Amino acid sequence: FYPEYLFAFCLSLVVVTLVRGTYTKLVTFTNNFYELFLLHMTGMGGEEFAVGGSWYLSAMILSMTILFPILYAKRETFLYCIAPLISLFLLGWLYKEQSGLSVAAHWNGYFAMGMLRASAELCLGCVAYGITRFLSKYRFTVITKILLTIAEFAGYIGTLLIAALWAGKTDFFCLFLLFVSIILSFSGQTYSVQIFSNRIFIKMGKFSLPLYLNHIIWARLLSTLNMPISFPKELIIYLALSFASAFVCVSTIGFIKELAKKYGTRIKKYFVKI
């Protein structure tokens, strides 16, 4: 994912530079430096990130360095015992202390709160994997698959509706809905596999990460500019800029990869003895 992240990071710096006169929450170079190497969730730098979603990537990578050795050493014990307990205890603590999951870089005096969220959700993902592996062993009837498919889509649609109507107040309930829907999606026991396993959705999947990384800078920009237009028009501009930047990101990285395949070995000879 790093080429996509690097593109979003550079795009963010360019946009911030262009609107320096009106952008009220500029990120300093020193903060950017730590974020460039995904170290900002260790506490280095500030709480204002150039790439909005980068905090989760940083927290996820750092959490993995702790969790993966345990998973590697005790796979079954981790999946069915350690991961569920870590997830429950950490999510329970966040529920009591924060009442939500919007913690990101909040500092509690020892570490960034986002590290707890990332660790809890990674463990929850491991639990989902274990359940998915269990469900995939069964052969269900057509009626059961239809019911599971309905439940799967109801979870995704319900999450979007609930998050839109009661943002920040139902984080844990939405997390539970996504947990169930993701299990059903990856179990292979619903009809969504047949729906989404085609070229169109596979190509669209390439835009998911660039879109995730690039969209926040346009939201910040439009919020800062405060243009005298209606919300629907501003939303259209926001979506157009987000998808356009994601398309440019995919195209640019694809072009660079093609150049690397063609001239990579030749360029490498100037720096490394082959």
Side-chain angles (χ1 to χ4, degrees):
F1 67 86
Y2 198 75
E4 288 85 352
Y5 173 73
L6 186 60
F7 178 92
F9 183 84
C10 295
L11 174 65
S12 179
L13 294 184
V14 170
V15 172
V16 167
T17 302
L18 291 176
V19 296
R20 183 179 293 273
T22 56
Y23 198 84
T24 58
K25 293 183 179 180
L26 289 175
V27 186
T28 64
F29 173 76
T30 54
N31 292 346
N32 290 151
F33 177 78
Y34 301 113
E35 185 180 351
L36 179 61
F37 297 99
L38 293 170
L39 294 173
H40 43 304
M41 289 307 289
T42 61
M44 299 179 183
E47 294 187 7
E48 188 69 30
F49 305 137
V51 182
S54 67
W55 74 267
Y56 196 82
L57 296 177
S58 175
M60 181 180 66
I61 291 172
L62 293 171
S63 297
M64 282 181 176
T65 61
I66 300 172
L67 297 173
F68 179 74
I70 305 173
L71 172 63
Y72 185 79
K74 300 289 183 181
R75 180 184 176 88
E76 299 300 315
T77 303
F78 182 85
L79 288 177
Y80 298 109
C81 182
I82 299 175
L85 289 175
I86 291 177
S87 181
L88 286 173
F89 282 121
L90 291 182
L91 289 175
W93 189 86
L94 288 171
Y95 184 89
K96 285 294 183 182
E97 292 293 322
Q98 301 294 324
S99 300
L101 294 173
S102 299
V103 290
H106 297 178
W107 192 257
N108 74 342
Y110 300 97
F111 47 77
M113 300 285 282
M115 286 290 296
L116 294 182
R117 175 181 168 181
S119 298
E121 292 179 351
L122 282 171
C123 287
L124 194 63
C126 291
V127 176
Y129 169 76
I131 299 174
T132 298
R133 192 172 64 170
F134 175 77
L135 286 177
S136 63
K137 297 177 182 179
Y138 289 89
R139 297 182 62 184
F140 294 116
T141 63
V142 173
I143 295 176
T144 304
K145 285 191 174 184
I146 292 174
L147 293 174
L148 292 176
T149 304
I150 293 173
E152 174 191 7
F153 281 96
Y156 290 130
I157 296 171
T159 299
L160 293 174
L161 292 176
I162 293 171
L165 296 173
W166 301 285
K169 299 178 181 179
T170 54
D171 290 352
F172 292 90
F173 183 69
C174 289
L175 182 63
F176 173 76
L177 290 180
L178 287 175
F179 173 70
V180 175
S181 293
I182 288 172
I183 288 173
L184 295 175
S185 295
F186 286 90
S187 67
Q189 300 290 8
T190 65
Y191 289 108
S192 64
V193 177
Q194 300 176 16
I195 297 172
F196 296 113
S197 295
N198 59 65
R199 293 181 180 179
I200 296 176
F201 287 105
I202 291 173
K203 289 182 178 180
M204 289 175 62
K206 294 181 179 179
F207 288 87
S208 60
L209 180 60
L211 191 61
Y212 168 74
L213 293 171
N214 287 292
H215 78 95
I216 192 64
I217 186 60
W218 302 120
R220 288 175 176 172
L221 175 63
L222 293 174
S223 176
T224 303
L225 295 177
N226 195 22
M227 295 185 295
I229 58 176
S230 62
F231 175 74
K233 292 180 180 178
E234 191 173 28
L235 180 62
I236 292 173
I237 295 173
Y238 162 67
L239 291 174
L241 289 172
S242 299
F243 279 98
S245 59
F247 176 78
V248 173
C249 176
V250 172
S251 302
T252 303
I253 292 172
F255 177 71
I256 293 173
K257 286 181 177 179
E258 288 298 321
L259 288 179
K261 288 180 181 179
K262 191 173 183 180
Y263 301 106
T265 304
R266 189 183 306 175
I267 295 173
K268 188 177 180 181
K269 289 180 180 178
Y270 293 103
F271 302 96
V272 180
K273 291 183 179 181
I274 301 176

